[in-house]
Amino acid sequence: MGIVGWARWAWRLLTSMRTALILLFLMALASIPGSLLPQRGIVPEDVVAFYKENPTLAEVFDRLWLFDVFAAPWFAAIYLLLFTSLTGCVLPRLRKHLAEIRRKPPAAPRNLNRLPHHGSYRTDVEGEQALAAAQTLLRKRRYRVVAGPGWVAAEKGYLRETGNLFFHFALLGLLFAIGAGALYGYRANVIVTEDEGFANTVAVYDKYTPGSLATEESLHPFSFQLDDFNATYVLQGDRRGQALDFVARLRVQDRPGAPERTFDLRVNEPLETGGAQVYLLGHGYAPTFRVVDGEGKVAFDGPVPFLPAEQATFTSEGVLKVPDAKPAQLGALGLFLPTTVPVGEGFGSAFPGMINPTVNLFAYHGDLGLRKGPQSVYQLDTDEMTLAAKTEKPLNVGETLTLPEGRGSITFTGVREWISLQIAYDPGRLPALIASSVAVLSLVLSLTVRRRRVWVRLSDGNLEVGGLLKTEGSADGFAGEFGDIVTSLRGVVQPVKE
Amino acid sequence: MPPAQADTGLAALSDQLILFTVLLYVVAMFAYAIELAGARARRTAQKAKTPALATVGGDTAPPEAPEEPAGPARASDRLALVGKAAVWLTVAGWAANLGSVVTLGLATGRWPWGNMYEFVLAVCLTAVTGFLVMLLRHRVRYLGVFVMVPVVLGLGIAVRYLYVQAGPVVPALNSYWIAIHVSAAIIASGVFMVGGVAGILYLIRGRQDEKGLLSRLPSREDLDRVVQRTIVFAFPVWTFAVIAGALWADRAWGRYWGWDPKETWSFITWIVYAAYLHARATGGWGGKRAMLIQLVGFACLLFNLFGVNLFISGLHSYAGF
């Protein structure tokens, strides 16, 4: 066997149904670790936690791409092989089916009474007339009909194979749509506080994951202003505190110079602007502070987004950093309670909504460590700082924590809310939708339509009718249809009265 | 936005109806079991029934000869009566089940499948619906007891362990997509369940010429046909459910597919059932092997339904636990 022989053998092996089945199973098996282990693309923080708990194991897993299963080369290998196998299987079938569609139904076999479905009766109608009547009847039933000397052949149900082929091509289309979306799309996350604006540029994103062929010019130039955010909760009963509705009121400008429009952004109602979508993913509180430094100047005045530490009560944690404070930089760890109630010795939050907001502060002075490099806005590096003061009891809005030795003061001036948003652009969305709709419709066709043939033959004044179901499965349905055909044929060609 | 408080009267009615449902299903289950245990071995009777050879000759013969073999007529009459009673009990239970789901929906003013408890109630409802519909067209009464066992178990677990007081859902579930996506998933799951039960029976049944208790089970060919019918129906519905889920995810989470554990397992389930259909279409993989694939698919479906919510955290976690 030469190279061509080997290649042909390999191609035949790859495109065989058995290989396709094995590849299908491999794909299912390969997906399982992706659901059991944390995935970097979905929960990166859990991957970090896994690394901390089992450093050696994590190292091994990572080398096997087990934290990125769906981007792993071995996963890609499986689905590319599967789709190659599929193409190799479907293309020859397409050629064959196209030929079959153009071909006429095969001539009637000699002995129709050997077929699984068979009927026969005497007729005294002129032979040709009877056959013509049979043709009309079968055509009316949307059979493809061809006639020969003394026989009529009819076939129906080509849509089965058509549907099957469409289904498989739709899957190929879906793969391309997903691929194109991943290459040319982008996804970004950002936090916006009430009364703040947002303009769609990379600089303002907290996180930006562009497709490998997406450029900064792909960003849609929209902007909006967040006027108000409102969360509604169940107030009483078993489900007290469960969220009922979130709504963010936006004033949107679809592109620079376009007229402003208002939009109520909700969880299941994303903002569509240009080709991009903006989704409401989460929300939280941003207490506002005014910080006066040791020289008596206002060194900070504004909101600080706190992260919810507890979803049920929205007890939130955050960090205030005042690099401009003099003589020393100031920082504070904060604990925000939207609905403050006494709990044991201290205080806690009893409800996620804001009924009695307070904040606890641990204020530090010294060096924030910003020169050492980038740091998270939600963490305070206290290596070069010392605790200056802490709140004895939670501060109400308007109350001030004064730092000793004239280092300044921090006033809790109010609370705003923030929302976290995802901005997504995926050019493969619509093609994927079309491909998957075609897939479902054609799947139904390929599973429900059945290919069947009916023949009528005239011999010695007997009209013989034979039927053959070409697809496997129950013949019950066809038996009924065949019976109907025979019955109406009898009605049309007027049998002999005996 | 649905009301913050559920109508307590209607919710209580729903709770009572579901207990009533379980009761009726249990009695029906025993009635089916009695009929099956009393039935004669089904070897010869089934073999005589060759694939419908339509004899539409001179005069139209009845499509099927009466199947019951001659024997002690009184006893078999009585058994048939028990079987019929079982069907009517099932219908009554089904009505109570339906009533329970409907009152739950009315009580909460939303689609009544917002958590695991409600989901299981609805899946059991469709499984029984699927069985009753098949009963209208085919002789599948022998399946009754085997459909009732998992349904009763499922409802029992739902009432005992998954029960949640009727109330509003979180905003993420507050979408018309719940009516489309979850309904399709429920219908497909219910029908897959009937197929799974028939598949397990197929494996238990073994060869044709078996003796003893097992010979009272339907023949392998009959079971194979039941499985094929259910999967051919449920597979496109499941495909639609997954795609509708992707459409909803596109609106709610900002991407249509993100390999969330629930998404991953619905994909795995889909692949395995697709493998079953391919195995059936290919020579050499039919029969027992195809049936095993089908049961692996059913196991994946169950794991997706319960396991993913119990053991893995993901975006679908609000579904009840």
Side-chain angles (χ1 to χ4, degrees):
Chain A
M1 231 176 353
I3 291 176
V4 180
W6 277 103
R8 206 170 270 168
W9 171 81
W11 179 250
R12 220 172 314 147
L13 187 73
L14 179 66
T15 56
S16 78
M17 185 69 100
R18 178 192 279 261
T19 311
L21 268 176
I22 292 171
L23 286 170
L24 271 176
F25 274 117
L26 272 179
M27 181 118 158
L29 269 179
S31 312
I32 294 177
S35 75
L36 301 179
L37 290 171
Q39 297 295 297
R40 216 168 251 135
I42 309 168
V43 275
E45 60 280 6
D46 289 6
V47 178
V48 174
F50 195 98
Y51 253 99
K52 266 188 196 143
E53 272 173 41
N54 311 292
T56 357
L57 194 62
E59 192 69 34
V60 176
F61 280 3
D62 210 9
R63 205 159 288 171
L64 296 172
W65 296 74
L66 288 175
F67 298 123
D68 304 277
V69 167
F70 303 106
W74 49 266
F75 192 78
I78 295 172
Y79 71 73
L80 288 178
L81 273 177
L82 183 63
F83 275 91
T84 315
S85 164
L86 192 153
T87 316
C89 177
V90 173
L91 279 181
R93 271 174 54 197
L94 176 70
R95 205 178 314 127
K96 193 170 155 234
H97 187 55
L98 285 177
E100 249 174 53
I101 285 180
R102 270 178 264 134
R103 199 165 44 217
K104 285 169 181 158
R110 193 141 301 279
N111 290 317
L112 288 181
N113 54 7
R114 284 194 192 149
L115 292 171
H117 303 267
H118 169 240
S120 130
Y121 47 86
R122 292 194 62 76
T123 173
D124 60 355
V125 178
E126 193 71 25
E128 288 310 310
Q129 212 180 320
L131 285 177
Q135 276 194 57
T136 327
L137 186 116
L138 287 164
R139 282 226 173 82
K140 213 175 267 171
R141 284 182 166 266
R142 309 183 52 107
Y143 271 80
R144 177 174 299 204
V145 181
V146 62
W151 54 264
V152 171
E155 186 162 4
K156 193 179 169 177
Y158 294 84
L159 270 179
R160 182 187 186 86
E161 182 69 359
T162 311
N164 196 307
L165 290 171
F166 262 95
F167 172 72
H168 287 100
F169 281 114
L171 290 189
L172 279 173
L174 187 61
L175 182 74
F176 282 115
I178 293 173
L183 284 177
Y184 292 97
Y186 65 84
R187 191 179 300 275
N189 295 81
V190 67
I191 281 184
V192 181
T193 310
E194 280 172 328
D195 299 332
E196 276 183 2
F198 167 84
N200 194 29
T201 48
V202 174
V204 297
Y205 291 151
D206 298 324
K207 190 179 154 199
Y208 177 52
T209 27
S212 41
L213 295 179
T215 57
E216 299 214 359
E217 282 80 67
S218 340
L219 295 193
H220 302 73
F222 65 90
S223 61
F224 61 77
Q225 178 85 17
L226 173 62
D227 282 340
D228 183 31
F229 173 77
N230 241 314
T232 325
Y233 300 95
V234 179
L235 287 173
Q236 49 195 330
D238 271 11
R239 294 177 187 237
R240 183 167 187 272
Q242 185 197 302
L244 282 173
D245 191 27
F246 304 123
V247 56
R249 288 182 212 293
L250 306 181
R251 271 182 289 134
V252 186
Q253 230 179 349
D254 293 308
R255 51 183 186 280
E260 214 172 49
R261 64 181 168 119
T262 55
F263 186 82
D264 284 357
L265 183 66
R266 287 190 160 86
V267 174
N268 274 300
E269 291 163 33
L271 164 70
E272 307 260 350
T273 170
Q277 288 84 36
V278 180
Y279 300 88
L280 178 61
L281 291 190
H283 67 108
Y285 292 104
T288 55
F289 298 100
R290 185 165 56 241
V291 180
V292 177
D293 67 8
E295 297 179 353
K297 289 203 183 102
V298 175
F300 181 89
D301 193 4
V304 180
F306 276 35
L307 292 182
E310 235 182 277
Q311 285 294 328
T313 63
F314 256 80
T315 301
S316 308
E317 295 167 351
V319 166
L320 168 67
K321 293 183 191 182
V322 193
D324 297 338
K326 284 173 186 128
Q329 290 181 324
L330 295 177
L333 296 171
L335 186 73
F336 175 77
L337 307 171
T339 298
T340 315
V341 288
V343 176
E345 298 283 289
F347 294 87
S349 175
F351 189 71
M354 197 164 60
I355 296 171
N356 179 24
T358 63
V359 72
N360 283 294
L361 290 174
F362 290 76
Y364 290 82
H365 69 97
D367 187 343
L368 287 167
L370 294 172
R371 283 161 301 137
K372 281 189 271 180
Q375 51 173 249
S376 163
V377 292
Y378 302 108
Q379 268 160 6
L380 189 65
D381 180 0
T382 54
D383 285 355
E384 293 169 44
M385 303 194 92
T386 37
L387 185 64
K390 60 178 187 183
T391 44
E392 293 304 325
K393 71 177 201 47
L395 297 180
N396 288 309
V397 175
E399 290 181 344
T400 301
L401 173 69
T402 309
L403 308 186
E405 299 163 26
R407 295 184 193 279
S409 67
I410 304 174
T411 308
F412 176 33
T413 52
V415 186
R416 289 195 220 162
E417 289 184 80
W418 57 258
I419 54 175
S420 68
L421 299 171
Q422 171 167 289
I423 294 111
Y425 167 63
D426 184 345
R429 257 168 110 234
L430 190 64
L433 175 63
I434 294 168
S436 44
S437 312
V438 171
V440 175
L441 292 177
S442 51
L443 178 65
V444 171
L445 281 183
S446 86
L447 286 177
T448 52
V449 174
R450 280 180 298 183
R451 186 87 168 266
R452 59 256 195 213
R453 289 180 180 157
V454 172
W455 290 282
V456 182
R457 186 182 268 287
L458 201 65
S459 58
D460 314 330
N462 262 338
L463 202 59
E464 304 264 345
V465 190
L468 182 66
L469 192 60
K470 284 205 67 193
T471 38
E472 62 129 22
S474 160
D476 294 1
F478 180 59
E481 186 192 356
F482 185 76
D484 285 352
I485 290 176
V486 173
T487 316
S488 33
L489 262 178
R490 285 169 79 187
V492 174
V493 298
Q494 298 159 338
V496 198
K497 295 257 161 27
E498 282 178 71
Chain B
M1 200 171 78
Q5 291 295 314
D7 183 316
T8 41
L10 279 170
L13 179 61
S14 167
D15 294 352
Q16 282 160 2
L17 277 171
I18 205 64
L19 294 179
F20 205 52
T21 308
V22 175
L23 188 74
L24 285 164
Y25 282 167
V26 167
V27 181
M29 179 174 78
F30 281 114
Y32 285 122
I34 290 168
E35 194 204 7
L36 193 69
R40 307 170 123 259
R42 284 176 180 266
R43 290 168 275 160
T44 39
Q46 297 293 337
K47 261 191 184 154
K49 216 180 85 184
T50 43
L53 199 128
T55 44
V56 262
D59 54 2
T60 340
E64 254 174 55
E67 194 193 303
E68 291 300 317
R74 298 285 293 281
S76 72
D77 278 359
R78 245 176 240 151
L79 276 177
L81 213 62
V82 172
K84 267 183 200 141
V87 172
W88 284 112
L89 282 165
T90 313
V91 172
W94 176 83
N97 196 343
L98 181 70
S100 168
V101 171
V102 170
T103 45
L104 197 59
L106 291 175
T108 50
R110 59 172 171 80
W111 293 91
W113 30 82
N115 54 48
M116 280 293 281
Y117 168 73
E118 297 168 6
F119 188 80
V120 172
L121 252 58
V123 169
C124 290
L125 179 68
T126 49
V128 176
T129 312
F131 171 63
L132 287 175
V133 168
M134 284 188 86
L135 208 53
L136 281 180
R137 298 172 52 183
H138 313 286
R139 293 163 163 270
V140 287
R141 203 156 74 203
Y142 54 78
L143 273 179
V145 61
F146 307 104
V147 173
M148 282 304 138
V149 169
V151 164
V152 166
L153 272 177
L155 288 180
I157 290 171
V159 172
R160 176 75 185 78
Y161 298 105
L162 307 176
Y163 180 76
V164 205
Q165 197 131 45
V169 289
V170 295
L173 288 180
N174 197 353
S175 161
Y176 57 89
W177 278 108
I178 197 172
I180 303 166
H181 163 61
V182 188
S183 311
I186 285 169
I187 292 169
S189 304
V191 179
F192 274 140
M193 187 159 122
V194 177
V197 165
I200 293 167
L201 287 183
Y202 179 97
L203 292 187
I204 296 174
R205 179 60 164 90
R207 302 266 138 247
Q208 272 300 318
D209 43 355
E210 222 162 8
K211 299 219 162 46
L213 203 62
L214 289 183
S215 65
R216 281 163 202 181
L217 291 178
S219 74
R220 277 195 154 184
E221 289 79 47
D222 284 357
L223 288 168
D224 193 52
R225 213 170 300 144
V226 169
V227 171
Q228 164 83 0
R229 274 195 192 117
T230 51
I231 309 290
V232 161
F233 176 82
F235 184 71
V237 181
W238 182 254
T239 312
F240 175 76
V242 172
I243 289 169
L247 284 164
W248 187 5
D250 180 65
R251 274 196 89 67
W253 300 329
R255 83 286 182 294
Y256 54 83
W257 195 268
W259 298 108
D260 172 68
K262 201 86 167 181
E263 292 174 344
T264 308
W265 277 95
S266 64
F267 172 73
I268 294 172
T269 310
W270 187 84
I271 284 202
V272 177
Y273 277 115
Y276 164 79
L277 288 173
H278 283 93
R280 292 267 326 192
T282 325
W285 276 71
K288 197 171 168 186
R289 272 201 230 180
M291 203 53 78
L292 283 171
I293 298 175
Q294 191 259 131
L295 286 174
V296 171
F298 184 53
C300 292
L301 183 85
L302 287 181
F303 182 77
N304 196 20
L305 198 54
F306 296 106
V308 169
N309 294 54
L310 278 173
F311 307 124
I312 311 173
S313 75
L315 285 169
H316 281 80
S317 295
Y318 46 65
F321 289 98

